[in-house]
Amino acid sequence: MSLLSIGTLAFDAIETPFGKTDKIVGGACTYISLAASYFVARSRVVSVVGGDFPKDRLNDLQSRGVDLDGLQIKEDEKSFFWSGKYHTDMNSRDTLVTELNVLESFDPIIPDSYKDDTSYLMLGNLAPVVQLQVLERLSVRPKLVVLDTMNFWMDIAMDDLKKVLKKVDVLTINDEEARQLSGEYSLVKAAEVIRQMGPKYLIIKKGEHGALLFHGEDMFFAPALPLAEVVDPTGAGDTFAGGFIGYLAKTDDVSFENMKRAIIYGSALASFTVERFGTEKLESLTPDEIEARVAEFIKLATFNMDFAAV
Ligand code: AMP
């Protein structure tokens, strides 16, 4: 099934208790499209980069089946740049720098061939107004629209964000952002408030504490795999989103039951991302490694109960 993702292709400078990087290639859409490439043979990207973005990294994406016909390259401008520093527990971070650069004037162009043939749409982290434009510029509404966003956009573009929320099926945000968006501390209450804003499905990511899926009266909890090595959590959320929508697109089944499986695949891929800085680990996985990790999740979370013996 056809999958289109939007989001940043960017430079990141990251500091964690385990080290520090200079500018490395990151960005929401980089992680999303790499994760999705393990599920769909061809996924499409609408985004923008400056002339400074390394061409060999674009070639890498293409060689993994990522279609970049919707990528604009502004030769005279600079790519989006983000810098962040993680706290000791690595579950929270401070944004040190956000330079929008090429994003400031981004006007997304959707290739004609995508307009009536996008079944799955991943609206990755970008200005809400751009996310809205992409939705409005498609001539046929996708079967499933997933939205990711972050506190940065809640702080500066809440009205636009509320407009996009009305039009999407699934929202993925972290626990802190769910509290900010809803004004509620309890995540159950936050989920209720947020789903009234539009999305029928809500996924709240809790970092090393797993993820929650809410839909109607139903709730599902997926653990995160306890890992011996967590080096850099950057991109975990985007990897999760790319794995989630990639699995749904591959299986073409948007039922709640299948979303549970998609969450486990997303979580499994994210567990690899955090083991190295940037995209290093995510780029070099084999299908067998992914299946083995999914099996670890199943083992971690399954148990039998013999009530008669109690
Ligand atoms: P995550 O760790 O999954 O929340 O996402 C980290 C990625 O998001 C980094 O690679 C950044 O380049 C990108 N990013 C950070 N801030 C923004 C923003 N305001 N808009 C879009 N992408 C961003």
Side-chain angles (χ1 to χ4, degrees), residues 7-14 24-31 80-83 86 93 95 97-98 100 103 124-127 148-153 156 174 177 205 232-240 273:
T8 40
L9 296 178
F11 287 117
D12 292 340
I14 303 156
I24 57 171
V25 166
C29 210
T30 307
Y31 289 99
F80 176 81
F81 172 63
W82 175 81
S83 167
Y86 288 83
R93 69 183 177 204
T95 289
V97 182
T98 300
L100 293 176
L103 275 194
N125 197 3
L126 263 185
D148 187 39
T149 188
M150 71 186 288
N151 51 358
F152 179 83
W153 301 113
I156 66 167
N174 70 30
E177 291 155 353
K205 301 166 286 180
D232 170 21
T234 308
D238 306 310
T239 305
F240 173 90
T273 291

